[in-house]
Structure formats: structure tokens, C-alpha cells
Amino acid sequence: MTTPKQLLIQAAARNNAEWCAAMSRSHDLAGEFRAQAWAAPARTPLYYPDAVTLVPGADAAVLAARIDTTAPGASVKDSFADLDLTEAGFQVLFEAQWIHRPASAPAAASDLAWDVAGDPDTLRAWALAWDDGEGNADLFRPELLDDPATFVLAGQSPDGRVIAGGVASRSDHVVGISNVFALDGGPDAAWPVVLDAVHWLFPTLPVVGYEHTDDLAVAVRHGFEPVGPLRIWLHV
């Protein structure tokens, strides 16, 4: 029997796959949803997997055949940490935990104003702040603004600069959060403004995402609970 926690992990995995699909579409790359996984036939944008499993027990060989393992950097998000992709030439890059926060959980008040990026200039300012000089701000293209389920959350200083934020991805039963950042104070400074925005935008939806290492501990401090493992595999 499928437990409520297993259903929640499946909802989080589906939500994350939908976000990866939206990010890929903004780069003119169409992936495909099938019963076991979402996958893209060509290399996805930097930091984004080529496949995301949607159910436990996906067929590893079939999954590997759906992506381009000849291109450097091919990766798979093993949403249930139950695959062995070593025979297909992959090794584990890192392990993480899906996280969940009930819609009813109280959030700490933020002293930052926030907005949803609605034009290319605001998205660019957000991307430059998120990137913090690393040279990858172009990952977030204006086409992303056309996706009706994607909300780029920009926390602003009193003088209007973007200094914190994240991305909210709405699906039927949950809202997923990714790319949480703050220029000063790290995720401890970012989560209050992100959760304030999410509570205002989606008051009835539970919040999901995934984190690992120190960022997982920060998420727990802000009301999340770990609900199950996932694993990122990198082709070598």
C-alpha cells in the first residue's frame, strides 16, 4: 500500500520534473513525460538533470537510453534513491532529502519586500543576484516568464535592489521551491521572504523541495521536515 509520505515524495518528484521541463523549454529543449520518468533527448541547461524519475523502481537501462550520455555532464535525478546506474557509466554525485512544509505552518516575518518577476529586466536583476558574479546568470531566459506555473520570487532591499529570492513552481497538489538565495545571510535570510511570498501566492498548498548538507539543516529550522532520500547520478 502506498503511504501518505510516499505519495508526497511522488508529488515532489513530479513537481521537480515539471520545473526541469519548464527550464529546458526556455532553452528550446523539449523533454518527454512517460510513466516512469521525465527525460530530455539532449543535454539540459547547466545544473539541471537530463532525467527525473517519477515512480519507484524505474528501469535503469530504459532511462539511460532516453538521454544523451555522449555529451559531457549528463545526469539523472533518482527521485527515490533506488537505482543503480553504474553499469550505464554513472556515479553518484550527491545525495539529498526531499523536504516538506505544511501549508498551515507559520512562517517568520520577513523585513524584505518581494515581488514576482514579470518582465525581462526584473528577471535579469534577479538572475544576476542569484548568480552573484559566477557567470551563469544567462541560465534564466526571458522565455521562462511565459510559463504559467513558474514564479520567480525577488526579495528587494529598501532601495529596490534584488538581494534574495527563489523560484516557486506550482503544480496541482504542491508548490516546489528551488534556487533559494540571499546575498547576505544565506538561506537563513532567504527562507523568510520566500515563504512569505509562497504563503501569500499559494495559501492552501504544501511546500516541497530538496536540500542537502548545511542547507538541509537550515530548511529544517524554517519548518520543513525531511521526507525521503533522492540521489543525483552523473555520467563519467
Side-chain angles (χ1 to χ4, degrees):
M1 184 174 67
T2 304
T3 68
K5 184 171 286 188
Q6 289 169 330
L7 290 172
L8 181 61
I9 294 170
Q10 289 188 33
R14 177 79 189 200
N15 173 276
N16 188 264
E18 290 171 356
W19 161 236
C20 294
M23 193 67 172
S24 295
R25 285 194 303 271
S26 73
H27 286 251
D28 298 318
L29 175 60
E32 181 185 8
F33 281 90
R34 296 184 188 173
Q36 292 191 345
W38 170 84
R43 282 292 295 112
T44 46
L46 182 67
Y47 304 133
Y48 287 82
D50 300 80
V52 181
T53 60
L54 303 174
V55 293
D59 187 306
V62 171
L63 185 63
R66 293 181 60 194
I67 66 177
D68 181 6
T69 56
T70 66
S75 64
V76 170
K77 183 170 289 172
D78 174 7
S79 300
F80 305 88
D82 63 354
L83 299 183
D84 184 352
L85 294 172
T86 53
E87 289 190 5
F90 289 82
Q91 67 180 20
V92 175
L93 180 63
F94 67 86
E95 298 187 352
Q97 283 278 329
W98 293 110
I99 56 174
H100 163 252
R101 194 177 194 277
S104 59
S110 171
D111 56 2
L112 294 182
W114 62 268
D115 200 359
V116 176
D119 60 80
D121 288 343
T122 305
L123 177 63
R124 182 65 177 173
W126 180 95
L128 289 169
W130 165 86
D131 181 62
D132 198 19
E134 294 297 318
N136 297 314
D138 290 338
L139 276 174
F140 296 91
R141 297 182 174 181
E143 290 82 356
L144 199 61
L145 299 172
D146 297 329
D147 186 81
T150 298
F151 298 76
V152 178
L153 309 174
Q156 300 165 341
S157 65
D159 61 0
R161 293 181 301 116
V162 178
I163 59 173
V167 175
S169 307
R170 185 195 65 223
S171 51
D172 290 342
H173 303 294
V174 296
V175 55
I177 300 298
S178 61
N179 296 282
V180 175
F181 76 93
L183 293 180
D184 295 308
D188 263 322
W191 275 119
V193 67
V194 168
L195 291 172
D196 182 35
V198 167
H199 180 72
W200 191 89
L201 291 167
F202 317 105
T204 64
L205 290 180
V207 184
V208 296
Y210 74 92
E211 297 290 356
H212 67 121
T213 63
D214 292 345
D215 290 340
L216 175 60
V218 175
V220 169
R221 281 202 297 273
H222 289 273
F224 287 89
E225 65 166 336
V227 292
L230 67 139
R231 187 175 290 146
I232 306 297
W233 294 83
L234 179 68
H235 194 263
V236 292

